[in-house]
Amino acid sequence: MKKKYLSLFGASLLALTSCGARGVHHEISDYILELPYTDNFRILQLTDTHIGDKDDQELQYKFMDLTIEEARPNLIVVTGDVFTFASKGTALRFFNWMDSHNIPWTLTWGNHDEQVYFSIDWVTDVLNNYGHNCKFIDLQDDDVSGNANFAINLMNGTNLVHQVIVMDSNRYHYGLDYNGYDYFHQNQIDWYSRLVNTTKIQYGNYKSTMYYHIPLPEVDNAFDEGNVIFGEKNEDTCPPKYNSGFFKVIHDADSTKGMFFGHDHVNNFRAKYEGVLFAYGIKSTNKIYYEDEMLGGQVIVIDNTGNFSVEKPINHKYSEVL
């Protein structure tokens, strides 16, 4: 289980740490990218790939190729734990593989992404300048915690159809209150509110989905209240111990109706809570721990009204590429 890594690794490792606020206040427009909307826009969520130097990377890429080929996506989003014990060369190979599909792609970070042999400034500088298929923003001098907080507007001409919000749920929290998984910080919550309010001023009421790694504490409410739409709870959920109140802000803003995350490798359930869908992604490689029947990805489809639906998960077996 991933919980054991809390005691094995700390901030002393060459780390992608959860950076705190760094001071410069940027306009919301600096955090927004655009993609042209096409009918029934398909977003493929990959998650928890855990690519590392000692992996059979060719095997992992062949396996994920199966998922991408079946998904036929217009955008690929990797929701964290992209790397574990990865060097710069491994990271660059992953980015080159992503780009080789000639499909727009993006990612955010998970807790294990601090267990690498490069700095956060190096890797986000690479992604900031990677090329037109990579849709990523990290303003390294900003006043927002984390290293991947931005939005991708799906545009039909000058009309916003849907907003894809990517956020960094951070890594680990070490403090007097508790040691464990980190949470969305207040400056990120304020950033989200600014994003939604600014977008509403420009386009009116609109719909969005959010992509991040560590689920919010309300994921347990969604499951326990019997609002499960799909899937199973095969392990205890691992949200942060501290509830920063982000869900209430999301709920009250009334824009984001779907939240997609990873982190717990053998949970795949989707459940509604107060009108918002909480949805685990499907683990996309066989690294760390996994279930054979739960490897692949899932597709979120955005229709021309901005509403979304989630298809049945894409599942494959490694025997198909061995």
Side-chain angles (χ1 to χ4, degrees):
M1 298 289 286
K2 57 184 173 302
K3 288 182 180 179
K4 67 184 180 183
Y5 288 91
L6 288 172
S7 60
L8 292 176
F9 306 109
S12 60
L13 198 64
L14 292 174
L16 269 171
T17 58
S18 172
C19 295
R22 289 159 282 184
V24 177
H25 188 75
H26 289 265
E27 296 298 323
I28 281 297
S29 58
D30 293 338
Y31 296 92
I32 296 177
L33 298 163
E34 292 186 353
L35 276 177
Y37 173 81
T38 58
D39 286 344
N40 295 317
F41 191 95
R42 300 173 64 80
I43 301 171
L44 170 62
Q45 180 194 6
L46 303 176
T47 196
D48 294 86
T49 52
H50 289 281
I51 300 296
D53 286 2
K54 295 184 178 181
D55 293 341
D56 183 345
Q57 294 177 29
E58 191 67 28
L59 175 68
Q60 302 301 345
Y61 295 141
K62 285 181 180 179
F63 182 78
M64 288 187 286
D65 281 339
L66 295 176
T67 302
I68 292 171
E69 289 166 8
E70 183 171 339
R72 298 173 287 106
N74 302 106
L75 173 67
I76 302 170
V77 181
V78 188
T79 52
D81 279 4
V82 185
F83 302 115
T84 306
F85 296 133
S87 63
K88 289 181 178 180
T90 289
L92 290 172
R93 185 177 182 186
F94 180 83
F95 302 151
N96 290 340
W97 169 78
M98 289 287 289
D99 213 54
S100 70
H101 299 89
N102 200 28
I103 297 167
W105 61 275
T106 192
L107 57 81
T108 188
W109 309 113
N111 52 292
H112 282 286
D113 286 308
E114 74 171 25
Q115 294 148 16
V116 294
Y117 306 116
F118 46 80
S119 70
I120 187 61
D121 284 347
W122 176 81
V123 73
T124 63
D125 185 62
V126 169
L127 293 174
N128 280 338
N129 298 284
Y130 192 82
H132 75 279
N133 285 328
C134 178
K135 304 298 179 182
F136 180 89
I137 295 175
D138 176 40
L139 300 180
Q140 295 182 353
D141 65 347
D142 71 358
D143 59 354
V144 183
S145 297
N147 308 107
N149 302 292
F150 57 93
I152 303 171
N153 286 350
L154 305 183
M155 303 295 296
N156 183 5
T158 59
N159 297 319
L160 174 65
V161 178
H162 187 91
Q163 188 173 72
V164 174
I165 302 173
V166 179
M167 294 192 69
D168 187 347
S169 55
N170 300 302
R171 259 52 88 209
Y172 295 108
H173 174 80
Y174 302 102
L176 295 176
D177 49 350
Y178 77 92
N179 294 329
Y181 297 118
D182 209 349
Y183 49 85
F184 287 103
H185 298 185
Q186 186 60 50
N187 54 38
Q188 292 177 284
I189 298 172
D190 294 341
W191 175 88
Y192 172 86
S193 295
R194 284 204 297 138
L195 173 69
V196 172
N197 291 336
T198 300
T199 307
K200 284 182 177 180
I201 289 170
Q202 185 171 2
Y203 297 104
N205 290 334
Y206 73 101
K207 301 177 179 70
S208 62
T209 47
M210 184 184 297
Y211 304 80
Y212 56 96
H213 183 69
I214 300 173
L216 297 180
E218 285 80 5
V219 68
D220 286 319
N221 299 79
F223 185 86
D224 293 342
E225 292 183 9
N227 297 317
V228 178
I229 296 170
F230 173 87
E232 300 175 339
K233 182 180 179 181
N234 296 309
E235 64 172 306
D236 290 340
T237 63
C238 292
K241 295 179 182 179
Y242 173 70
N243 191 328
S244 60
F246 193 16
F247 178 76
K248 184 179 188 308
V249 173
I250 292 168
H251 177 270
D252 291 350
D254 198 30
S255 170
T256 302
K257 297 298 183 180
M259 297 192 288
F260 298 88
F261 42 83
H263 191 51
D264 303 327
H265 295 183
V266 295
N267 285 335
N268 70 339
F269 68 82
R270 306 175 203 148
K272 274 200 169 181
Y273 178 64
E274 297 188 5
V276 179
L277 181 71
F278 283 74
Y280 277 100
I282 304 299
K283 191 174 184 332
S284 300
T285 70
N286 66 353
K287 301 304 299 178
I288 311 296
Y289 72 97
Y290 62 95
E291 293 287 344
D292 283 327
E293 303 302 319
M294 293 171 54
L295 292 174
Q298 72 178 357
V299 174
I300 301 97
V301 181
I302 311 298
D303 69 22
N304 59 14
T305 68
N307 289 313
F308 72 91
S309 58
V310 187
E311 294 185 345
K312 181 180 178 181
I314 295 170
N315 296 118
H316 286 285
K317 295 183 180 297
Y318 272 79
S319 59
E320 297 176 62
V321 293
L322 289 173

Coordinates of all heavy atoms in Angstrom, one line a residue, residues 119-181:
S119 N 14.5 18.7 -9.9 CA 13.7 19.7 -9.1 C 12.4 20.1 -9.8 O 12.2 19.9 -11.0 CB 14.6 21.0 -9.0 OG 14.7 21.6 -10.2
I120 N 11.5 20.6 -9.0 CA 10.2 21.1 -9.5 C 10.4 22.2 -10.6 O 9.7 22.2 -11.6 CB 9.3 21.5 -8.4 CG1 7.9 21.8 -9.0 CG2 9.8 22.7 -7.7 CD1 7.2 20.6 -9.6
D121 N 11.4 23.1 -10.3 CA 11.6 24.2 -11.3 C 12.1 23.6 -12.6 O 11.7 24.1 -13.7 CB 12.6 25.2 -10.7 CG 12.0 26.1 -9.6 OD1 10.7 26.1 -9.5 OD2 12.8 26.8 -8.9
W122 N 12.9 22.6 -12.6 CA 13.4 22.0 -13.8 C 12.3 21.4 -14.6 O 12.1 21.7 -15.8 CB 14.5 21.0 -13.6 CG 14.9 20.3 -14.9 CD1 15.8 20.8 -15.8 CD2 14.4 19.1 -15.4 NE1 15.9 19.9 -16.9 CE2 15.0 18.9 -16.6 CE3 13.4 18.1 -14.9 CZ2 14.7 17.7 -17.4 CZ3 13.2 17.0 -15.7 CH2 13.8 16.8 -17.0
V123 N 11.5 20.6 -14.0 CA 10.4 19.8 -14.7 C 9.3 20.7 -15.2 O 8.8 20.6 -16.3 CB 9.9 18.6 -13.9 CG1 9.0 19.1 -12.7 CG2 9.2 17.6 -14.8
T124 N 8.9 21.7 -14.4 CA 7.8 22.6 -14.8 C 8.3 23.6 -15.9 O 7.6 24.0 -16.8 CB 7.1 23.3 -13.7 OG1 8.1 24.2 -13.0 CG2 6.6 22.3 -12.7
D125 N 9.6 23.9 -15.9 CA 10.2 24.7 -16.9 C 10.1 24.0 -18.2 O 9.8 24.5 -19.3 CB 11.6 25.2 -16.6 CG 12.2 26.1 -17.6 OD1 11.6 27.2 -17.8 OD2 13.2 25.8 -18.3
V126 N 10.5 22.7 -18.2 CA 10.4 21.8 -19.4 C 9.0 21.8 -19.9 O 8.7 22.0 -21.1 CB 10.9 20.4 -19.1 CG1 10.5 19.5 -20.3 CG2 12.4 20.4 -18.8
L127 N 8.0 21.6 -19.1 CA 6.6 21.5 -19.5 C 6.1 22.9 -20.0 O 5.3 22.9 -20.9 CB 5.7 21.0 -18.4 CG 6.0 19.5 -18.0 CD1 5.2 19.1 -16.8 CD2 5.7 18.6 -19.2
N128 N 6.5 23.9 -19.3 CA 6.0 25.3 -19.7 C 6.4 25.6 -21.2 O 5.8 26.4 -21.9 CB 6.6 26.3 -18.8 CG 5.8 26.5 -17.5 OD1 4.6 26.1 -17.4 ND2 6.5 27.0 -16.5
N129 N 7.6 25.0 -21.6 CA 8.1 25.4 -22.9 C 8.2 24.2 -23.8 O 8.9 24.2 -24.8 CB 9.6 25.9 -22.7 CG 9.6 27.2 -21.8 OD1 9.2 28.2 -22.3 ND2 10.0 27.1 -20.6
Y130 N 7.4 23.1 -23.6 CA 7.5 21.9 -24.3 C 7.1 22.0 -25.7 O 7.8 21.5 -26.6 CB 6.8 20.8 -23.6 CG 7.2 19.4 -24.1 CD1 8.3 18.8 -23.7 CD2 6.5 18.8 -25.1 CE1 8.8 17.6 -24.2 CE2 6.8 17.6 -25.7 CZ 8.0 17.0 -25.2 OH 8.4 15.8 -25.8
G131 N 6.0 22.5 -26.0 CA 5.5 22.5 -27.4 C 4.0 22.6 -27.4 O 3.3 22.6 -26.4
H132 N 3.4 22.7 -28.6 CA 2.0 23.0 -28.7 C 1.0 21.9 -28.2 O -0.1 22.2 -27.9 CB 1.6 23.5 -30.1 CG 1.5 22.3 -31.1 ND1 2.7 21.7 -31.7 CD2 0.5 21.6 -31.6 CE1 2.3 20.8 -32.5 NE2 1.0 20.7 -32.4
N133 N 1.5 20.7 -28.2 CA 0.6 19.6 -27.7 C 0.5 19.6 -26.2 O -0.5 19.1 -25.6 CB 1.1 18.2 -28.2 CG 0.8 18.0 -29.7 OD1 -0.2 18.5 -30.2 ND2 1.6 17.2 -30.3
C134 N 1.5 20.1 -25.5 CA 1.6 20.1 -24.1 C 0.8 21.3 -23.6 O 1.2 22.4 -23.8 CB 3.0 20.1 -23.6 SG 3.2 20.1 -21.8
K135 N -0.2 21.1 -22.8 CA -1.1 22.2 -22.3 C -0.8 22.2 -20.8 O -1.5 21.6 -20.0 CB -2.5 21.9 -22.6 CG -2.8 21.8 -24.1 CD -2.4 23.0 -24.9 CE -2.7 22.8 -26.4 NZ -2.3 24.0 -27.1
F136 N 0.1 23.0 -20.4 CA 0.6 23.0 -19.0 C 1.0 24.4 -18.6 O 1.6 25.1 -19.4 CB 1.7 22.0 -18.8 CG 2.2 22.0 -17.3 CD1 1.7 21.1 -16.4 CD2 3.3 22.8 -16.9 CE1 2.1 21.1 -15.1 CE2 3.7 22.8 -15.6 CZ 3.2 21.9 -14.7
I137 N 0.7 24.8 -17.4 CA 1.2 26.1 -16.8 C 1.6 25.9 -15.4 O 0.9 25.4 -14.6 CB 0.1 27.2 -16.9 CG1 -0.3 27.5 -18.3 CG2 0.5 28.5 -16.2 CD1 -1.5 28.5 -18.4
D138 N 2.8 26.3 -15.1 CA 3.3 26.6 -13.7 C 4.0 27.9 -13.7 O 5.1 28.0 -14.2 CB 4.2 25.5 -13.2 CG 4.7 25.8 -11.8 OD1 3.9 26.3 -11.0 OD2 5.9 25.5 -11.5
L139 N 3.3 28.9 -13.1 CA 3.9 30.2 -12.9 C 4.8 30.1 -11.7 O 4.3 30.1 -10.5 CB 2.9 31.3 -12.8 CG 1.9 31.4 -14.0 CD1 0.9 32.5 -13.7 CD2 2.7 31.7 -15.2
Q140 N 6.1 30.0 -11.9 CA 7.0 29.6 -10.8 C 7.2 30.6 -9.7 O 7.6 30.4 -8.6 CB 8.4 29.2 -11.4 CG 8.3 27.9 -12.2 CD 9.6 27.5 -12.8 OE1 10.6 28.2 -12.6 NE2 9.7 26.3 -13.4
D141 N 6.8 31.9 -10.0 CA 6.9 33.0 -9.1 C 5.6 33.4 -8.4 O 5.6 34.4 -7.8 CB 7.6 34.2 -9.7 CG 6.7 34.8 -10.8 OD1 5.7 34.2 -11.2 OD2 7.0 35.9 -11.3
D142 N 4.6 32.6 -8.6 CA 3.2 33.1 -8.2 C 3.0 32.9 -6.7 O 3.8 32.4 -6.0 CB 2.2 32.5 -9.1 CG 1.9 31.0 -8.8 OD1 2.6 30.4 -8.0 OD2 1.0 30.4 -9.5
D143 N 1.8 33.4 -6.3 CA 1.4 33.4 -4.9 C 0.4 32.3 -4.7 O -0.5 32.4 -3.7 CB 0.8 34.7 -4.5 CG -0.4 35.2 -5.3 OD1 -0.7 34.5 -6.3 OD2 -1.0 36.2 -5.0
V144 N 0.4 31.2 -5.5 CA -0.5 30.1 -5.3 C 0.3 28.8 -5.0 O 1.3 28.5 -5.7 CB -1.3 29.9 -6.6 CG1 -2.3 28.8 -6.4 CG2 -2.0 31.2 -7.0
S145 N 0.0 28.1 -4.0 CA 0.7 26.9 -3.7 C 0.5 25.8 -4.8 O -0.4 25.8 -5.5 CB 0.2 26.3 -2.3 OG 0.4 27.2 -1.3
G146 N 1.5 24.9 -4.8 CA 1.4 23.8 -5.8 C 2.1 24.2 -7.0 O 2.6 25.4 -7.2
N147 N 2.2 23.3 -8.0 CA 3.0 23.5 -9.2 C 2.2 23.1 -10.5 O 2.8 22.8 -11.5 CB 4.3 22.6 -9.1 CG 5.0 22.9 -7.8 OD1 5.0 22.1 -6.9 ND2 5.6 24.1 -7.7
A148 N 0.9 23.1 -10.4 CA 0.1 22.9 -11.6 C -1.4 23.3 -11.3 O -2.2 22.5 -10.9 CB 0.1 21.4 -11.9
N149 N -1.6 24.6 -11.3 CA -2.9 25.1 -11.2 C -3.3 26.0 -12.4 O -2.7 27.1 -12.6 CB -3.0 26.0 -9.9 CG -2.6 25.2 -8.6 OD1 -3.3 24.3 -8.2 ND2 -1.5 25.6 -8.1
F150 N -4.1 25.5 -13.2 CA -4.5 26.2 -14.5 C -5.8 25.6 -15.1 O -6.3 24.7 -14.5 CB -3.3 26.1 -15.5 CG -2.9 24.7 -15.8 CD1 -3.5 24.0 -16.9 CD2 -2.0 24.0 -15.1 CE1 -3.1 22.7 -17.3 CE2 -1.7 22.7 -15.4 CZ -2.2 22.1 -16.5
A151 N -6.2 26.3 -16.1 CA -7.5 25.8 -16.8 C -7.3 25.8 -18.3 O -6.5 26.5 -18.8 CB -8.6 26.8 -16.4
I152 N -8.0 24.9 -18.9 CA -8.0 24.8 -20.3 C -9.5 25.0 -20.8 O -10.4 24.2 -20.4 CB -7.6 23.4 -20.8 CG1 -6.1 23.1 -20.3 CG2 -7.6 23.3 -22.3 CD1 -5.7 21.7 -20.5
N153 N -9.7 26.1 -21.5 CA -11.1 26.4 -22.0 C -11.3 25.7 -23.3 O -10.5 25.9 -24.2 CB -11.2 27.9 -22.1 CG -11.4 28.6 -20.8 OD1 -11.5 28.0 -19.7 ND2 -11.3 29.9 -20.8
L154 N -12.4 24.9 -23.4 CA -12.8 24.3 -24.6 C -13.7 25.3 -25.3 O -14.8 25.6 -24.9 CB -13.5 23.0 -24.4 CG -12.7 22.0 -23.5 CD1 -13.4 20.7 -23.4 CD2 -11.3 21.7 -24.1
M155 N -13.2 25.8 -26.5 CA -13.9 26.9 -27.1 C -14.5 26.5 -28.5 O -13.9 25.8 -29.3 CB -12.9 28.0 -27.4 CG -12.1 28.5 -26.2 SD -13.2 29.3 -24.9 CE -13.8 30.8 -25.9
N156 N -15.7 26.9 -28.7 CA -16.4 26.8 -30.0 C -16.4 28.3 -30.5 O -17.3 29.0 -30.2 CB -17.8 26.3 -29.8 CG -18.5 26.1 -31.2 OD1 -17.9 26.3 -32.2 ND2 -19.8 25.7 -31.1
G157 N -15.4 28.6 -31.3 CA -15.3 30.0 -31.7 C -15.0 30.9 -30.5 O -14.0 30.6 -29.8
T158 N -15.8 31.8 -30.3 CA -15.6 32.7 -29.1 C -16.4 32.3 -27.9 O -16.5 33.0 -26.9 CB -16.0 34.2 -29.5 OG1 -17.3 34.2 -29.9 CG2 -15.1 34.7 -30.6
N159 N -17.1 31.2 -28.0 CA -18.0 30.7 -27.0 C -17.3 29.6 -26.2 O -16.7 28.7 -26.7 CB -19.3 30.1 -27.6 CG -20.1 31.2 -28.3 OD1 -20.2 32.3 -27.8 ND2 -20.7 30.8 -29.4
L160 N -17.4 29.7 -24.8 CA -16.8 28.7 -23.9 C -17.9 27.6 -23.8 O -19.0 27.8 -23.4 CB -16.6 29.3 -22.6 CG -16.1 28.3 -21.5 CD1 -14.8 27.7 -21.8 CD2 -16.1 29.0 -20.1
V161 N -17.4 26.4 -24.2 CA -18.3 25.2 -24.0 C -18.1 24.6 -22.6 O -19.1 24.2 -21.9 CB -18.0 24.2 -25.1 CG1 -18.9 22.9 -24.9 CG2 -18.3 24.8 -26.5
H162 N -16.9 24.4 -22.2 CA -16.5 23.7 -21.0 C -15.1 24.1 -20.5 O -14.3 24.4 -21.3 CB -16.6 22.2 -21.2 CG -16.5 21.4 -19.9 ND1 -17.5 21.0 -19.2 CD2 -15.4 20.9 -19.3 CE1 -17.1 20.3 -18.2 NE2 -15.8 20.2 -18.2
Q163 N -14.9 24.2 -19.2 CA -13.6 24.5 -18.7 C -13.0 23.3 -18.0 O -13.7 22.7 -17.1 CB -13.7 25.7 -17.7 CG -12.3 26.2 -17.2 CD -12.5 27.5 -16.4 OE1 -13.0 27.4 -15.3 NE2 -12.1 28.6 -17.0
V164 N -11.8 22.9 -18.4 CA -11.1 21.8 -17.7 C -10.1 22.4 -16.7 O -9.3 23.2 -17.1 CB -10.3 21.0 -18.8 CG1 -9.4 20.0 -18.1 CG2 -11.2 20.3 -19.8
I165 N -10.4 22.2 -15.4 CA -9.5 22.8 -14.4 C -8.6 21.7 -13.8 O -9.0 20.6 -13.4 CB -10.4 23.3 -13.2 CG1 -11.4 24.3 -13.8 CG2 -9.6 23.9 -12.1 CD1 -12.4 24.8 -12.7
V166 N -7.3 22.0 -13.9 CA -6.2 21.2 -13.4 C -5.6 21.8 -12.2 O -5.3 23.0 -12.2 CB -5.1 20.9 -14.5 CG1 -4.0 20.0 -13.9 CG2 -5.7 20.4 -15.8
M167 N -5.6 21.0 -11.1 CA -5.0 21.6 -9.8 C -4.1 20.6 -9.2 O -4.1 19.4 -9.4 CB -6.1 22.0 -8.9 CG -7.0 23.1 -9.4 SD -8.1 23.8 -8.1 CE -6.9 24.6 -7.0
D168 N -3.2 21.1 -8.4 CA -2.1 20.4 -7.7 C -2.6 20.2 -6.2 O -2.7 21.1 -5.5 CB -0.8 21.1 -7.7 CG 0.3 20.4 -7.2 OD1 0.1 19.3 -6.5 OD2 1.5 20.8 -7.4
S169 N -2.9 18.9 -5.9 CA -3.3 18.6 -4.5 C -2.2 18.5 -3.5 O -2.4 18.1 -2.4 CB -4.2 17.4 -4.5 OG -3.5 16.3 -5.0
N170 N -1.0 18.8 -4.0 CA 0.2 18.9 -3.2 C 0.7 17.5 -2.8 O 0.2 16.5 -3.2 CB 0.0 19.8 -2.0 CG -0.3 21.2 -2.5 OD1 0.4 21.8 -3.2 ND2 -1.5 21.7 -2.1
R171 N 1.7 17.4 -2.0 CA 2.4 16.2 -1.6 C 2.1 15.7 -0.2 O 1.2 15.0 0.0 CB 3.9 16.4 -1.9 CG 4.5 15.9 -3.2 CD 3.8 16.3 -4.4 NE 4.3 17.5 -5.0 CZ 3.6 18.3 -5.7 NH1 2.3 18.1 -5.9 NH2 4.1 19.4 -6.2
Y172 N 3.0 16.1 0.7 CA 2.9 15.6 2.1 C 2.8 16.9 3.0 O 3.5 17.9 2.8 CB 4.0 14.7 2.5 CG 4.1 13.4 1.8 CD1 5.0 13.2 0.8 CD2 3.1 12.4 2.0 CE1 5.1 12.0 0.1 CE2 3.2 11.2 1.3 CZ 4.1 11.0 0.3 OH 4.1 9.8 -0.3
H173 N 2.2 16.7 4.2 CA 2.1 17.7 5.2 C 2.8 17.2 6.4 O 2.5 16.1 6.9 CB 0.6 18.0 5.5 CG 0.5 18.9 6.7 ND1 0.6 20.3 6.6 CD2 0.2 18.7 8.0 CE1 0.4 20.9 7.7 NE2 0.2 19.9 8.6
Y174 N 3.8 18.0 6.9 CA 4.5 17.7 8.1 C 4.3 18.8 9.1 O 4.7 19.9 8.9 CB 6.0 17.5 7.9 CG 6.3 16.5 6.8 CD1 6.6 16.8 5.5 CD2 6.3 15.1 7.2 CE1 6.9 15.8 4.6 CE2 6.6 14.1 6.2 CZ 6.9 14.5 4.9 OH 7.2 13.5 4.0
G175 N 3.6 18.5 10.2 CA 3.3 19.6 11.2 C 2.9 19.1 12.5 O 2.8 17.9 12.7
L176 N 2.6 20.0 13.4 CA 2.3 19.6 14.8 C 0.9 19.0 14.8 O 0.6 18.2 15.7 CB 2.3 20.9 15.7 CG 3.7 21.5 15.9 CD1 3.5 22.8 16.8 CD2 4.6 20.5 16.6
D177 N 0.0 19.4 13.9 CA -1.3 18.8 13.8 C -1.3 17.4 13.3 O -2.0 16.5 13.9 CB -2.2 19.7 13.0 CG -1.7 20.1 11.6 OD1 -0.5 19.8 11.4 OD2 -2.4 20.6 10.8
Y178 N -0.6 17.1 12.3 CA -0.5 15.7 11.8 C 0.6 15.6 10.7 O 1.0 16.6 10.1 CB -1.8 15.2 11.2 CG -2.2 15.7 9.8 CD1 -1.8 15.0 8.7 CD2 -2.9 16.9 9.6 CE1 -2.1 15.5 7.4 CE2 -3.2 17.4 8.4 CZ -2.8 16.7 7.2 OH -3.1 17.1 6.0
N179 N 1.1 14.4 10.5 CA 1.9 14.1 9.3 C 1.1 13.2 8.4 O 0.6 12.2 8.8 CB 3.2 13.4 9.8 CG 4.1 14.2 10.6 OD1 4.1 15.4 10.5 ND2 4.8 13.6 11.6
G180 N 1.1 13.6 7.1 CA 0.3 12.8 6.2 C 0.2 13.5 4.9 O 1.0 14.3 4.5
Y181 N -0.9 13.1 4.2 CA -1.1 13.7 2.8 C -1.5 15.2 3.0 O -2.2 15.6 3.9 CB -2.1 13.0 2.1 CG -1.7 11.5 1.8 CD1 -2.5 10.5 2.3 CD2 -0.6 11.3 1.0 CE1 -2.1 9.2 2.1 CE2 -0.2 9.9 0.8 CZ -1.0 8.9 1.3 OH -0.6 7.6 1.1

